[in-house]
Amino acid sequence: AQSVSQHNHHVILSEAASLELGCNYSYGGTVNLFWYVQYPGQHLQLLLKYFSEDPLVKGIKGFEAEFIKSKFSFNLRKPSVQWSDTAEYFCAVIGGSYIPTFGRGTSLIVHP
Amino acid sequence: NAGVTQTPKFRVLKTGQSMTLLCAQDMNHEYMYWYRQDPGMGLRLIHYSVGEGTTAKGEVPDGYNVSRLKKQNFLLGLESAAPSQTSVYFCASSSRLAGTYEQYFGPGTRLTVT
């Protein structure tokens, strides 16, 4: 069975600080990996996805993530956060079942 | 192209009452899902469907039933609501045939059971 672990539950940063959110998954085969973002009061939307291409994936709004197969990790990064990045971030993995498993989410608060 | 829509947006039920949440998608996606979102618990899969006429249990199916009579619609039913079912419910759809698997989410339904 596949599983996802997000290590940081709550992150508080000041604007212009760098961001890295951890995501580790457990699955022995080929995976597809995703980061979704949920802005306050809204539904989840796709931030970026990994599909067996370049392990460094670039998404919207300056976000990127690196797939490190040996570490079963897919950490999300952004060099300089903005107040508008305040949101909840979810990592998800799809293995052989084609049904995704989501992590518990990381709440990010960015102070102006 | 409306994407994924959910009806209703808000609902308050009394314990023991029943209701049905409707999800509709206009993207011709094969897969549809119902999740509940609770503080600190992330998204938990209730039921899902891989095609018209098929449904399967997810992580937390107890107390819920689903039906997928048409490809574009996925209904979530609560036969006898309990306070533990107070949550925000999200529907999502995805396409395996398109090879992307990314999920498209609806706006959510906030349900309170008193």
Side-chain angles (χ1 to χ4, degrees), chain A residues 36 43-46 102, chain B residues 3-6 27 33 35 43 90-93 102-108:
Chain A
Y36 290 86
H43 59 280
L44 277 76
Q45 52 190 290
L46 184 69
F102 283 83
Chain B
V4 180
T5 58
Q6 291 181 232
M27 296 172 284
Y33 314 79
Y35 295 92
L43 282 175
F90 287 100
C91 176
S93 69
E102 67 186 80
Q103 299 207 303
Y104 293 79
F105 286 84

Side-chain angles (χ1 to χ4, degrees), chain B residues 29-96:
Chain B
H29 285 170
E30 318 89 72
Y31 286 47
M32 295 187 76
Y33 314 79
W34 275 107
Y35 295 92
R36 60 177 291 173
Q37 185 178 28
D38 303 289
M41 301 297 290
L43 282 175
R44 292 184 292 171
L45 183 63
I46 304 171
H47 286 280
Y48 64 95
S49 168
V50 300
E52 181 179 327
T54 70
T55 63
K57 294 180 179 180
E59 181 186 353
V60 289
D62 293 343
Y64 305 95
N65 57 74
V66 288
S67 65
R68 183 118 182 251
L69 299 179
K70 294 183 179 180
K71 186 177 184 179
Q72 62 268 32
N73 295 338
F74 195 30
L75 278 62
L76 177 71
L78 285 73
E79 290 187 348
S80 180
S84 60
Q85 294 178 305
T86 293
S87 186
V88 180
Y89 291 86
F90 287 100
C91 176
S93 69
S94 68
S95 175
R96 177 181 170 183

Side-chain angles (χ1 to χ4, degrees), chain A residues 75-95:
Chain A
N75 292 352
L76 181 70
R77 301 194 293 245
K78 185 171 184 179
S80 176
V81 294
Q82 301 174 317
W83 174 78
S84 58
D85 293 325
T86 293
E88 192 145 12
Y89 293 82
F90 294 91
C91 181
V93 62
I94 292 180

